[in-house]
Amino acid sequence: MKAISKRIRAWSLVSLGAVVTMLVMSLAVPFFTAPVMADEATKAATEAAPKVEMAKDIYFKTEGPVSGNPAPELKATDYPSYNLPYPLSENRILIWSIAQQHLYFGSFVLAVPIFCMIIELVGLLTKDPVMSKKYDDLAHLLVKISLTAYSVTAILGGLLLFSFITLYPDFFKYISSLFRPVMHIYALLFLAESGTLYLYYYGWDRMTHGFAKWVHACMGVLLNVFGSVLMMLANSWASFMMSPAGVDEKGRYLGNIWAILHNALWNPLNVHRIIGNMVFGGGIVAAYAAYKFLAAKTLEEKAYYDWMGYIAMFMAVGSLIPLPFAGYWLMREVYGFRQQMGITLMGGLLAWLFIIQAVLIGALFFSTNYYLFNGMERMRGAEKYQKYIKYILFLTTAAFLVWLTPHTLVMRPAELKAIGGQQHPVIGNFGVMSAKNGAVNTMIMTTIISFLLYQRSNKIVVVKWEAWGNAALMAMFTVALVNNWWLAIYGYFIPANVRVGLSVPQVIGTLTTLFIGSAINIAMMRGSKLTGPIEWGKISVRSQYALFSLAVSFTWLMALMGYIRSSVRLFWHVMEVFRDNSPWAFTHTIGFAANMMSVNVMAFWLFVLFVFWLGELTSKHAVAEARKEAARPAMAGGSE
Amino acid sequence: MWIEGYKPIELLLILTITTFIYIGVNYLLQKIGKRIPTFPQAILIWLGTYFIFKYVLTPPIPSALMYTYMGLVTLVVFLFISSTEKGWTEFKRPILNTVMAVTPIYKGVRTVSFVVLPLLIGYGTYDFNVPKFDEPIELRTVHPAPPASVTVRGTNFTLQTARNPYRVDEKGDYLPVGKEDKYFKQNPFSPDAKGYLLYVREGGSIFFQNCHFCHGDNLNGRGMFAFAFNPIPANFSDPGTIAQLQETFVFWRISKGGPGLPREGFPWASAMPPWEEHLTTDEIWKVNMFEYWHTEFFPRTWD
């Protein structure tokens, strides 16, 4: 036994060492590449000084040696296409669908390891051995599901690459000439991620205790580092197309790869996508659990999948809370980069799609709250908190009403005349950003209140300072809400650049209620009397449809916002540098775009069902074991 | 009933007060043992909200928005009644009783429902499909995206970076956006007005010679000719118009007028002339300053 333990320990160290080396090597490449390429450029400049042309970076405004060809000026005949019936005759439709599916699966396989890492760590830190194993098994099951999705992602990535090469050859040639070293690093990182993933998965049953388990958990961290860097590199291609940098106005490379990578929208997009992936991944897992719950035949099965759905929902919504702030930062940078682009998105051509986005975001908050309300039903003693549901729903609805009111109203000329102008004097004011900030923060805070009530549902507080604790919570939420509404109103009376800054105290207020509120609530729960266990599996069927709603809203949102982000370039492949001269360089109607998004969403869900089914074929035994343990009752709250 | 400047808050207050009255009444009825069952409660909430949006909120909101709001209310009513098992069971009971015809009264209701509901659905389908001669719904973009640059009277302006050359203080130094509020309450017609105020005065003269006939002497879009147009001219005193835009956007709009709007802005639905044909670029910048000074709004910036 000791020998085995030693062997496992040695094997763990070797695995860890190999992975770390791969990580360091791949991360080092950019540091080598940039100076090397810059050296080459400088050398070239020195050796043939008169011949080297210098040009100005269109974004950073720095001078650099021209090191590449200008962006090609294409004709309609330069886009080879298939003779397929409309709309498949448009190359962009094919690219759109394939890229969307690749992004969905890519997001899923990037998000699931994040959850696995967290759940495995929670399992490691949980003192109760039964609960610890329960968490560990859940993480193992999730990574198993993601393995098939990982292959699908790679296949779709290959398909996307071939589609670019065959359908947009000149575009791809130009982009690859700029991102040449980045593409190689990307491929290496993909290799490193695959290796780590397989080590992580196949090492699970070998590295179960002590030091080896910690090494395994560290591999989970490494897996996520690889995944995140991989995603950031891919993001740089998309963000470069929106906000090019590192090239001159003709699109010629100026010898500094870092300038190309570090364009105006790269980091906002990175942050937004990492958080978005986590929300999405949580949503998919929650939908999986809901599906299994509905299909379950025994109470044991129901209990396990009810618990799994709760954990997934909790992680998705935990990630959802900072997402609007990341989105706000991204949009602020878009406006900062080009006023024209920002207005096209939020005030102009694509503004109505932002209203659809608002509706879907509202659906997320309503679904979450509804799930928590229904979740209270499986705890005895929750009745005393159910009377607050109507207040929470009212506040959320009022905020949502403000949130979804558009700035550009759709109306008939007669309605326009009746209003007396394009701006409605009452609800017209809800259409601008100041009101929206107030609304979204309110919706987040009502969701936090729902969660705090849920945590308390099956407990009787016994701490001596209960009254003070409740008063502190009440005061904190009241101050945060009033501060949020006051700043939303005040925002109408100050310059826009100051108004943008007001979002910071609003966010601070919201996050204070989240972190300090949760901390006070958890402290109040110490030593509390249980009115009964959480009766996992006894949640209503309706709540499971709320989980589906959560997941489908996420996928729809990704399709919608992906389309908006891409189509804001209008008739440019690379904004203001490389013009799209294809026969289909026009913006689709809102109706057509919405239908395409829905087709992509449906195709993805069919794919997902297939992946789940494949996962089922291999995991029946493991799940059966885990289910037995999961049927054990537990306490309410985020930790369980 | 609606107080100028407080209208959006008023609407939210009306909804809040109505909700609390409803909760209070319901509580009292429950205390005396005459609680309203869930099914009629749901209908009451729905109708009460419809009443507020339809008859209290004036001027009337467009039908598309009305559908959106009532769709939201329907969803929320469903969430409310089904958030607890007790509420959901109670809500379903009269529906199930009707379907199963548990009493002669329910049987009567079922008969009527089974006749009336298909007829209503049939009428709805007919009404949806029958050709109509109403004006179509229009999605006119109020603030379409500006071009990256515009050429006005032979000079090219990059809208992202261009500055109003007359935005200067008394010493002639550039006055950053947000610093002009000290001039808001000062008199531009004072004989010793300099810098910013002087140009506001000049802009005001140009405005009253050219713009106020449509945009009004309070800049609220209600000039003497305003109601000859549909839509009426933009209301600059509304925080949703120039307060949301960069100075260069307004410069572009004044210079190019209605004909210069992109298609999503419905260039055919604007009577605004391209003022570059009548005013110099300097005059356009000065009018621009006057509009912001008069309304006490600040143009949008991204610093």
Side-chain angles (χ1 to χ4, degrees):
Chain A
M1 194 68 188
K2 214 169 187 180
I4 292 169
S5 169
K6 271 187 182 172
R7 208 165 57 227
I8 290 174
R9 194 181 172 114
W11 188 77
S12 310
L13 281 172
V14 170
S15 311
L16 186 62
V19 172
V20 169
T21 313
M22 283 160 82
L23 172 68
V24 172
M25 276 174 67
S26 3
L27 284 179
V29 178
F31 297 103
F32 288 122
T33 324
V36 166
M37 297 191 75
D39 284 352
E40 280 171 5
T42 319
K43 199 176 166 191
T46 321
E47 282 172 1
K51 287 181 188 171
V52 173
E53 189 187 343
M54 301 297 280
K56 193 182 262 186
D57 188 314
I58 48 166
Y59 178 66
F60 291 110
K61 306 296 176 199
T62 50
E63 289 246 315
V66 174
S67 315
N69 293 323
E73 290 177 17
L74 303 179
K75 300 185 293 296
T77 48
D78 293 326
Y79 296 87
S81 64
Y82 292 108
N83 190 20
L84 293 169
Y86 178 81
L88 296 175
S89 53
E90 290 187 359
N91 287 0
R92 61 175 168 170
I93 296 291
L94 300 174
I95 292 283
W96 184 355
S97 300
I98 298 164
Q100 186 66 68
Q101 298 306 323
H102 176 59
L103 271 164
Y104 276 143
F105 276 93
S107 300
F108 183 63
V109 297
L110 286 173
V112 168
I114 298 178
F115 293 141
C116 290
M117 176 184 76
I118 297 170
I119 295 171
E120 190 183 9
L121 281 174
V122 170
L124 264 168
L125 298 172
T126 303
K127 286 171 188 162
D128 179 349
V130 178
M131 282 310 294
S132 175
K133 182 153 186 343
K134 192 172 160 183
Y135 280 120
D136 202 64
D137 286 343
L138 178 62
H140 195 185
L141 174 66
L142 291 181
V143 82
K144 189 178 281 182
I145 293 168
S146 80
L147 273 187
T148 321
Y150 195 77
S151 311
V152 177
T153 309
I155 293 164
L156 286 167
L159 190 59
L160 183 62
L161 176 66
F162 292 140
S163 304
F164 270 126
I165 293 169
T166 53
L167 300 175
Y168 288 90
D170 295 294
F171 165 78
F172 192 75
K173 190 178 169 190
Y174 174 67
I175 289 290
S176 55
S177 74
L178 298 176
F179 285 97
R180 189 164 37 107
V182 176
M183 286 180 172
H184 280 114
I185 296 164
Y186 181 86
L188 283 173
L189 275 171
F190 191 77
L191 196 67
E193 198 197 8
S194 310
T196 317
L197 178 66
Y198 287 113
L199 279 176
Y200 186 59
Y201 176 66
Y202 289 110
W204 206 293
D205 291 331
R206 287 168 177 263
M207 303 160 86
T208 49
H209 293 98
F211 179 71
K213 186 62 187 167
W214 279 103
V215 170
H216 187 264
C218 290
M219 273 165 53
V221 177
L222 272 179
L223 181 62
N224 284 297
V225 171
F226 284 136
S228 301
V229 177
L230 196 73
M231 185 200 64
M232 286 178 190
L233 294 184
N235 286 349
S236 69
W237 309 332
S239 61
F240 173 80
M241 288 166 71
M242 289 175 80
S243 58
V247 293
D248 69 356
E249 59 184 12
K250 291 178 183 167
R252 296 179 299 183
Y253 177 51
L254 299 180
N256 184 350
I257 189 70
W258 177 243
I260 288 191
L261 274 174
H262 192 242
N263 56 67
L265 301 180
W266 187 46
N267 275 328
L269 195 64
N270 285 336
V271 172
H272 195 254
R273 276 192 168 170
I274 286 178
I275 301 174
N277 286 349
M278 290 173 68
V279 179
F280 173 73
I284 300 295
V285 175
Y288 172 75
Y291 166 74
K292 297 293 291 177
F293 177 92
L294 293 174
K297 297 214 167 35
T298 64
L299 186 61
E300 273 183 348
E301 275 184 302
K302 277 185 188 288
Y304 180 73
Y305 290 111
D306 183 9
W307 176 77
M308 184 179 178
Y310 170 73
I311 297 284
M313 186 282 309
F314 179 74
M315 298 190 102
V317 176
S319 315
L320 172 68
I321 286 171
L323 194 59
F325 310 129
Y328 191 73
W329 180 37
L330 175 60
M331 283 315 299
R332 185 184 179 279
E333 295 302 315
V334 167
Y335 266 102
F337 177 73
R338 284 289 178 280
Q339 172 194 211
Q340 183 194 17
M341 208 186 247
I343 297 178
T344 300
L345 283 168
M346 297 194 76
L349 195 62
L350 303 170
W352 197 249
L353 294 171
F354 263 84
I355 296 301
I356 301 175
Q357 181 221 21
V359 173
L360 289 171
I361 289 176
L364 298 181
F365 284 108
F366 278 119
S367 302
T368 307
N369 280 295
Y370 186 68
Y371 177 83
L372 290 171
F373 299 155
N374 275 274
M376 286 180 180
E377 294 266 290
R378 60 187 169 204
M379 290 180 266
R380 275 179 222 153
E383 300 78 20
K384 59 181 179 288
Y385 295 112
Q386 285 177 338
K387 62 186 173 198
Y388 299 115
I389 288 176
K390 52 183 172 287
Y391 302 106
I392 293 171
L393 264 180
F394 169 73
L395 264 183
T396 313
T397 309
F400 186 55
L401 187 129
V402 174
W403 177 247
L404 66 65
T405 301
H407 190 207
T408 292
L409 297 173
V410 182
M411 49 192 164
R412 297 193 171 88
E415 291 172 332
L416 179 62
K417 205 172 177 75
I419 286 175
Q422 195 81 47
Q423 308 288 332
H424 193 285
V426 183
I427 50 101
N429 290 292
F430 296 152
V432 295
M433 211 59 218
S434 200
K436 307 293 186 203
N437 277 348
V440 76
N441 279 289
T442 306
M443 288 196 286
I444 294 173
M445 279 191 262
T446 54
T447 308
I448 296 168
I449 295 171
S450 291
F451 183 70
L452 296 189
L453 295 182
Y454 176 87
Q455 274 189 315
R456 286 178 169 213
S457 285
N458 63 339
K459 300 178 191 83
I460 297 168
V461 179
V462 293
V463 290
K464 285 178 185 168
W465 48 279
E466 182 192 356
W468 285 105
N470 284 334
L473 282 173
M474 288 273 283
M476 192 169 56
F477 275 99
T478 308
V479 169
L481 282 167
V482 171
N483 172 59
N484 173 43
W485 297 333
W486 154 245
L487 291 175
I489 296 167
Y490 181 57
Y492 285 91
F493 301 99
I494 50 170
N497 55 346
V498 184
R499 181 165 63 238
V500 169
L502 287 187
S503 60
V504 176
Q506 285 177 310
V507 171
I508 289 173
T510 306
L511 294 182
T512 305
T513 59
L514 173 63
F515 293 115
I516 310 288
S518 301
I520 294 176
N521 209 40
I522 290 167
M524 287 177 76
M525 296 301 111
R526 278 206 183 137
S528 58
K529 284 183 194 162
L530 279 181
T531 51
I534 301 178
E535 294 174 2
W536 293 112
K538 290 194 176 169
I539 197 167
S540 73
V541 168
R542 298 185 300 284
S543 66
Q544 303 304 301
Y545 290 108
L547 291 183
F548 280 131
S549 156
L550 201 68
V552 174
S553 299
F554 286 144
T555 39
W556 236 327
L557 261 175
M558 277 179 75
L560 179 76
M561 299 318 284
Y563 168 73
I564 290 174
R565 189 199 54 70
S566 188
S567 63
V568 73
R569 286 181 282 109
L570 302 175
F571 46 83
W572 296 99
H573 285 311
V574 178
M575 197 70 190
E576 294 165 13
V577 167
F578 184 1
R579 198 177 167 113
D580 180 357
N581 281 327
S582 65
W584 42 82
F586 58 88
T587 304
H588 278 301
T589 60
I590 291 174
F592 179 88
N595 286 337
M596 265 300 293
M597 291 166 209
S598 301
V599 168
N600 281 332
V601 168
M602 282 192 283
F604 171 69
W605 279 104
L606 285 174
F607 250 135
V608 165
L609 281 178
F610 172 69
V611 169
F612 286 167
W613 174 74
L614 279 183
E616 276 295 288
L617 294 180
T618 54
S619 63
K620 276 186 178 163
H621 177 67
V623 175
E625 275 187 7
R627 277 196 302 243
K628 280 178 198 164
E629 282 154 12
R632 200 188 96 142
M635 286 169 67
S639 61
E640 290 178 24
Chain B
M1 176 184 172
W2 295 98
I3 307 160
E4 199 62 50
Y6 295 90
K7 290 175 180 177
I9 301 295
E10 269 187 87
L11 175 65
L12 294 174
L13 279 177
I14 289 169
L15 289 170
T16 309
I17 292 166
T18 315
T19 306
F20 277 91
I21 291 174
Y22 166 78
I23 292 170
V25 170
N26 215 21
Y27 176 77
L28 290 175
L29 287 173
Q30 199 169 349
K31 279 277 168 195
I32 59 169
K34 293 190 175 174
R35 186 179 159 274
I36 310 169
T38 311
F39 190 82
Q41 265 199 63
I43 293 172
L44 266 177
I45 296 171
W46 199 93
L47 289 176
T49 326
Y50 179 78
F51 179 81
I52 292 174
F53 288 142
K54 184 77 182 174
Y55 300 106
V56 179
L57 177 54
T58 53
I61 55 173
S63 54
L65 195 60
M66 188 72 183
Y67 286 130
T68 314
Y69 282 176
M70 290 320 296
L72 168 65
V73 172
T74 310
L75 171 79
V76 172
V77 167
F78 168 75
L79 298 185
F80 174 56
I81 54 169
S82 64
S83 56
T84 61
E85 201 55 48
K86 193 179 154 198
W88 180 234
T89 311
E90 197 185 316
F91 176 78
K92 284 189 302 184
R93 194 177 303 133
I95 300 172
L96 293 175
N97 287 350
T98 306
V99 173
M100 292 172 184
V102 290
T103 63
I105 296 173
Y106 278 118
K107 194 173 182 183
V109 173
R110 185 177 72 174
T111 310
V112 173
S113 305
F114 280 13
V115 173
V116 171
L117 278 179
L119 284 175
L120 277 176
I121 292 167
Y123 176 75
T125 312
Y126 167 77
D127 189 53
F128 184 77
N129 288 299
V130 70
K132 292 193 178 69
F133 302 98
D134 295 344
E135 297 158 305
I137 281 180
E138 290 178 346
L139 181 50
R140 177 173 183 257
T141 302
V142 188
H143 296 143
S149 63
V150 286
T151 302
V152 181
R153 297 181 80 100
T155 308
N156 188 267
F157 295 89
T158 303
L159 298 184
Q160 185 76 13
T161 52
R163 279 178 165 186
N164 186 339
Y166 295 98
R167 170 180 277 283
V168 291
D169 60 16
E170 292 89 342
K171 293 177 193 164
D173 296 332
Y174 182 75
L175 190 69
V177 171
K179 301 283 184 195
E180 65 268 47
D181 54 351
K182 62 182 172 185
Y183 299 111
F184 284 167
K185 299 296 176 199
Q186 291 185 25
N187 179 11
F189 291 94
S190 159
D192 56 347
K194 279 190 253 173
Y196 183 88
L197 280 177
L198 178 67
Y199 298 126
V200 163
R201 181 166 81 202
E202 290 177 18
S205 303
I206 299 160
F207 182 88
F208 283 103
Q209 284 164 19
N210 299 280
C211 317
H212 96 286
F213 303 104
C214 296
H215 287 287
D217 44 9
N218 277 326
L219 282 69
N220 58 1
R222 277 147 173 79
M224 60 188 86
F225 298 151
F227 290 97
F229 309 120
N230 189 28
I232 65 167
N235 173 4
F236 301 143
S237 64
D238 185 301
T241 59
I242 59 172
Q244 300 297 322
L245 303 165
Q246 280 188 301
E247 248 179 330
T248 52
F249 185 107
V250 182
F251 176 80
W252 165 60
R253 287 288 65 250
I254 299 172
S255 309
K256 301 296 175 185
L261 281 167
R263 289 183 59 169
E264 69 265 25
F266 288 25
W268 55 88
S270 169
M272 172 102 163
W275 283 102
E276 62 176 341
E277 291 172 13
H278 307 282
L279 302 174
T280 64
T281 52
D282 291 344
E283 287 172 327
I284 295 172
W285 283 121
K286 287 174 187 171
V287 168
N288 207 330
M289 282 179 68
F290 171 74
E291 288 170 1
Y292 282 104
W293 174 82
H294 191 283
T295 53
E296 300 189 0
F297 287 135
F298 303 93
R300 170 158 279 184
T301 54
W302 297 100
D303 310 322

